[in-house]
Amino acid sequence: MLIEVERQSDVCVLRLKGSLVTGTDPEYLQAKAAEIKSKNCNKVLADLRELLSIGSTGIGFLVGIYTSVTKSPGGRFVLVSPSRRVREVLDLTRLSTVIPLVEDIASGEAAMRGEGPAARSAGNE
């Protein structure tokens, strides 16, 4: 599991790679969550293109970041391009009805700007 955090202007891009499942180092996930907070990220684009699988640990991580980000004024959180396998888990847990999902980075960037169909559900406005 690898999580990269990159700030691009007012948006933090999370790139999740590998498998985010039970057994993933909890200290690593806590450190990544703290890194996101330290960068004052209130707009987060989670790039799931290279995430192979997700379990309860991963769902908990995403929900924690989503909750933290969308509490702040103007906070937005969008998931980008989950694989079929990851999408099935997001659908099964009904997380896909709570957190906006988009097909590509461009759609995610539009949602961050408040444009496009995902924008309405991307934040708490």
Side-chain angles (χ1 to χ4, degrees):
M1 167 88 275
L2 175 66
I3 302 172
E4 297 172 341
V5 181
E6 178 185 345
R7 186 159 184 113
Q8 297 178 354
S9 184
D10 65 338
V11 175
C12 283
V13 178
L14 304 184
R15 289 187 184 83
L16 289 83
K17 300 176 181 182
S19 296
L20 190 51
V21 294
T22 303
T24 302
D25 182 7
E27 287 82 21
Y28 177 73
L29 295 178
Q30 289 171 350
K32 288 300 175 179
E35 181 180 348
I36 294 163
K37 277 191 171 194
S38 74
K39 292 182 185 240
N40 295 319
C41 298
N42 73 337
K43 293 181 180 177
V44 176
L45 193 65
D47 181 353
L48 307 182
R49 292 178 295 178
E50 295 183 54
L51 186 65
L52 305 175
S53 60
I54 190 168
S56 59
T57 300
I59 294 295
F61 176 75
L62 291 178
V63 167
I65 301 298
Y66 169 80
T67 303
S68 173
V69 166
T70 58
K71 272 193 231 175
S72 63
R76 295 181 181 275
F77 186 87
V78 176
L79 301 174
V80 177
S81 195
S83 68
R84 186 178 59 82
R85 187 175 194 179
V86 170
R87 177 63 191 251
E88 286 172 358
V89 173
L90 295 172
D91 289 344
L92 182 65
T93 59
R94 311 231 349 116
L95 201 55
S96 59
T97 65
V98 177
I99 300 176
L101 294 168
V102 296
E103 293 301 316
D104 53 42
I105 295 290
S107 299
E109 290 170 343
M112 290 293 115
R113 293 188 303 269
E115 304 166 359
R120 288 183 293 284
S121 57
N124 58 353
E125 288 121 32

